[in-house]
Amino acid sequence: MKRGILYYTRIYFKIIAQDIKSKMSYRADFIISMIGMIATNLAGAISFWIIFQNFPTVQGWNFYEMIFLYGFSLISATPAQCMFDNNWDLRYKVFSGDFIKYCVRPINIFFYYMSEIFDVKGLGQFAFGIASVVFAWIKLELSVSVLSILLFILAAVSASLFVIAILNVAACTCFWIMNSFFALSLSNTLRDYAKYPITIFNPILRFLFTFIIPIGFMSFYPSQIFLRPESVPLISWFTPVFGIIFFYISYKIWMKGALAYNGTGS
Amino acid sequence: MKLKRCLSLVRASILDSLQFRGALILTFVGNLFYLLLIYYLWKAIFASSESDIINGMTFSDTMIYLVFASALFNFMEMWIVWGTGRNIQSGQIIIDLLKPIEFRSFVFFSGCGEPIIKFVTTFLPTAIIVYFISGRAIPLGKNLIFFTISVALGMLINFYINFFVATICMYTQSIWGINIMKEVIVGLLSGASVPLAFFPETLREIVMYLPFQAICNSPLQILLHNEYPVSEVLVILGIQLFWVIFLMIFTDLFFRVSVRKITVNGG
């Protein structure tokens, strides 16, 4: 039975409302997590600042351009952080057998599983990302227009699909190997690459980070549209198309694992 | 008698971590990726600079420093904040507090299996590989002995900082936020993400007065500078020892105060 997008939107808000209500009962945890999130992002910016105290540019990229890339990577990581965070718990649910409950509900398993958790602290990261990009945007004296803002939103949304796709694939490895923690933590390490210009790597890694593990699309390629508008690489314009393809592939792999899930027998 | 208790805890925790061989391999792969990243990043940084030596460090010095810093951190990680934090939330801590051994020692000895395994399986191979790749740029001599002592002290400092942070969890019931803040502060101020030599002058001076640099900067200074006179090495070790003693007393007092506040929900 096919159901419309409206039905799923309505049900999504109903489910996350429950989650947010239960989170609100741990107010101290929420505040500390928010501070922790912003502190992490701040530390990343401080490391850049320290490096650029010694070197004016790195391969032709200056401090503000790096801050732009960094901010962009934080923004594109936000949807994965906020809406797909339940991926991190997938391994416990699969291991303990709790996952079977998602398999017997009359809605899409992937949708239901992801909608259960909304991670509010991701919004702290989003705020920091926006602040960094705005700061860099002003310092670099980039032009502001309705078109550029719309383009930025499109670029950020497309880039976020890649982050979600990698998270999905890393998390769903637990359907086959039980413990996916290290795959997830590897995906986090890889995500750290996103804040650096892809051009610093050698051609083999550049190819790898473009077509196999699409880290370049999380920040570098889409950012080129704004940072170097006179020489945008062709591939940057493919960000939305590739984003949808990668997201779809990750969804298919995730579902393949979920549909083959047998439970633990208890 | 006391020693026997501790040793059996260590043995159990070694066996426990040997259960997760797949995890060890993936950690190793993860490190390799991280090393690739810092290699290309710092190569690009040094390529953009006019001189080969920046703040007294060459490219290969920086690489050796960063590789060792990450290898040290990797093997020191005992997941104490997560382990203890979860025990506080689940109420398991009550059982651990009743055990016939001081709680802090219990946490230390039952957690130190993983560092021991990782020292053999990841730290030593990394060190040997780096030694040969770097064209034997690491001086071998008496510094190795001092380095070993310094690493042991650094590990204790790291443990006490972790234990302090785990104790805070008793008040906050929050693990993720507290732990990430710790990771950020330790990572940045210990020089593990950017070597301390690159820090601006004033910031570096402040950092030198904090315990974080004693975790991995001190051992690395000793390892990479065989030319340091013994007196200077002893000063570095002395500072580390000061932090060990200070943190030992401090975490003990703090834990004594905090354990009275502990609330276990529905225990």
Side-chain angles (χ1 to χ4, degrees):
Chain A
M1 186 165 73
K2 283 273 173 207
R3 293 197 185 92
I5 194 159
L6 261 168
Y7 173 81
Y8 272 104
T9 319
R10 203 158 47 88
I11 211 164
Y12 184 75
F13 282 108
K14 271 192 183 158
I15 301 172
I16 62 164
Q18 297 310 316
D19 180 52
I20 290 173
K21 269 183 215 160
S22 77
K23 291 255 174 66
M24 281 302 159
S25 50
Y26 299 98
R27 203 156 304 203
D29 179 51
F30 166 71
I31 293 166
I32 292 166
S33 301
M34 199 67 125
I35 298 171
M37 198 81 193
I38 292 174
T40 319
N41 302 333
L42 194 62
I46 291 174
S47 337
F48 276 139
W49 179 76
I50 291 171
I51 291 174
F52 279 93
Q53 290 295 301
N54 301 283
F55 312 93
T57 61
V58 172
Q59 279 207 344
W61 302 93
N62 68 31
F63 176 61
Y64 299 112
E65 285 170 318
M66 292 290 266
I67 289 292
F68 188 97
L69 286 179
Y70 184 50
F72 194 96
S73 77
L74 293 178
I75 294 172
S76 69
T78 302
Q81 179 73 42
C82 285
M83 294 156 76
F84 293 83
D85 198 49
N86 215 11
N87 264 325
W88 283 86
D89 280 340
L90 186 63
R91 62 188 196 278
Y92 298 126
K93 303 242 160 89
V94 165
F95 186 74
S96 67
D98 286 348
F99 187 76
I100 204 78
K101 113 177 176 202
Y102 303 94
C103 303
V104 295
R105 298 288 154 92
I107 48 175
N108 183 298
I109 304 176
F110 181 77
F111 168 81
Y112 180 44
Y113 186 75
M114 294 307 165
S115 62
E116 212 178 43
I117 296 284
F118 185 86
D119 189 29
V120 191
K121 65 179 178 292
L123 296 176
Q125 173 170 309
F126 183 68
F128 193 91
I130 293 279
S132 316
V133 167
V134 169
F135 171 74
W137 200 296
I138 293 167
K139 287 285 182 183
L140 292 168
E141 293 170 356
L142 303 174
S143 63
V144 186
S145 67
V146 180
L147 181 71
S148 66
I149 291 170
L150 286 177
L151 210 54
F152 185 85
I153 295 169
L154 176 69
V157 171
S158 316
S160 73
L161 291 172
F162 293 93
V163 188
I164 299 166
I166 287 182
L167 182 65
N168 285 343
V169 171
C172 77
T173 53
C174 71
F175 287 119
W176 293 278
I177 61 167
M178 278 307 177
N179 193 345
S180 60
F181 176 76
F182 293 92
L184 282 164
S185 121
L186 182 63
S187 84
N188 247 5
T189 311
L190 287 173
R191 211 165 72 188
D192 274 351
Y193 285 43
K195 61 186 186 221
Y196 302 106
I198 280 293
T199 49
I200 67 172
F201 300 111
N202 75 3
I204 300 168
L205 282 175
R206 230 181 287 169
F207 178 83
L208 181 74
F209 291 157
T210 305
F211 296 107
I212 315 289
I213 314 172
I215 293 160
F217 289 101
M218 289 181 186
S219 181
F220 180 72
Y221 290 128
S223 294
Q224 297 310 298
I225 299 168
F226 311 98
L227 290 178
R228 305 276 161 94
E230 66 288 348
S231 59
V232 183
L234 185 63
I235 201 156
S236 293
W237 301 108
F238 283 98
T239 310
V241 184
F242 280 11
I244 292 166
I245 294 172
F246 272 100
F247 178 80
Y248 184 73
I249 294 171
S250 78
Y251 166 77
K252 278 290 169 197
I253 300 175
W254 201 99
M255 283 300 272
K256 195 171 158 49
L259 291 172
Y261 184 66
N262 279 328
T264 52
S266 53
Chain B
M1 188 59 203
K2 185 142 192 274
L3 190 72
K4 210 176 144 196
R5 281 181 206 164
C6 300
L7 284 178
S8 55
L9 281 174
V10 173
R11 195 174 148 267
S13 95
I14 288 178
L15 290 175
D16 193 32
S17 53
L18 277 178
Q19 282 293 316
F20 299 98
R21 276 172 293 249
L24 286 173
I25 295 167
L26 277 167
T27 316
F28 193 70
V29 174
N31 286 353
L32 252 123
F33 267 106
Y34 174 74
L35 297 184
L36 268 180
L37 170 67
I38 55 176
Y39 173 78
Y40 283 108
L41 176 65
W42 285 91
K43 210 169 94 157
I45 290 173
F46 271 86
S48 317
S49 149
E50 289 99 35
S51 68
D52 288 341
I53 301 174
I54 298 150
N55 297 333
M57 288 179 92
T58 62
F59 173 61
S60 87
D61 285 344
T62 313
M63 278 311 292
I64 293 172
Y65 185 99
L66 287 169
V67 170
F68 267 96
S70 98
L72 277 178
F73 260 108
N74 255 302
F75 108 79
M76 282 177 184
E77 179 65 68
M78 287 160 80
W79 308 105
I80 287 163
V81 181
W82 278 104
T84 314
R86 284 230 182 83
N87 279 353
I88 292 169
Q89 284 186 343
S90 69
Q92 167 75 22
I93 191 170
I94 297 294
I95 312 283
D96 293 342
L97 284 169
L98 290 172
K99 293 213 163 101
I101 184 169
E102 192 211 349
F103 181 70
R104 193 175 52 180
S105 316
F106 173 74
V107 173
F108 181 77
F109 288 110
S110 58
C112 71
E114 207 178 328
I116 292 170
I117 296 295
K118 278 203 231 146
F119 183 80
V120 181
T121 55
T122 58
F123 183 79
L124 280 182
T126 314
I128 293 167
I129 292 168
V130 170
Y131 176 72
F132 285 108
I133 286 183
S134 65
R136 299 162 201 245
I138 304 163
L140 299 178
K142 62 181 188 313
N143 59 342
L144 286 183
I145 301 160
F146 291 123
F147 173 71
T148 315
I149 302 169
S150 185
V151 168
L153 291 171
M155 196 175 150
L156 279 174
I157 295 169
N158 191 39
F159 169 75
Y160 287 130
I161 291 172
N162 275 303
F163 188 78
F164 169 69
V165 174
T167 314
I168 298 178
C169 289
M170 291 193 183
Y171 295 91
T172 61
Q173 309 266 317
S174 154
I175 311 174
W176 190 91
I178 296 279
N179 189 54
I180 197 97
M181 269 192 262
K182 179 217 85 185
E183 272 178 21
V184 163
I185 292 170
V186 175
L188 191 65
L189 299 185
S190 65
S193 48
V194 183
L196 293 183
F198 292 97
F199 279 44
E201 193 62 39
T202 37
L203 190 58
R204 185 164 66 227
E205 268 169 30
I206 298 167
V207 168
M208 290 312 270
Y209 285 107
L210 298 173
F212 310 108
Q213 60 88 22
I215 301 172
C216 75
N217 186 51
S218 302
L220 291 177
Q221 291 301 331
I222 294 174
L223 180 70
L224 298 179
H225 298 277
N226 197 26
E227 75 277 7
Y228 279 177
V230 176
S231 60
E232 201 168 332
V233 173
L234 288 179
V235 169
I236 297 177
L237 290 176
I239 294 170
Q240 283 189 295
L241 194 63
F242 163 77
W243 282 116
V244 170
I245 295 168
F246 174 82
L247 288 166
M248 186 167 69
I249 298 168
F250 175 72
T251 54
D252 189 51
L253 290 176
F254 184 58
F255 183 75
R256 272 167 208 272
V257 176
S258 314
V259 79
R260 292 189 208 129
K261 297 254 190 270
I262 190 166
T263 40
V264 172
N265 302 323

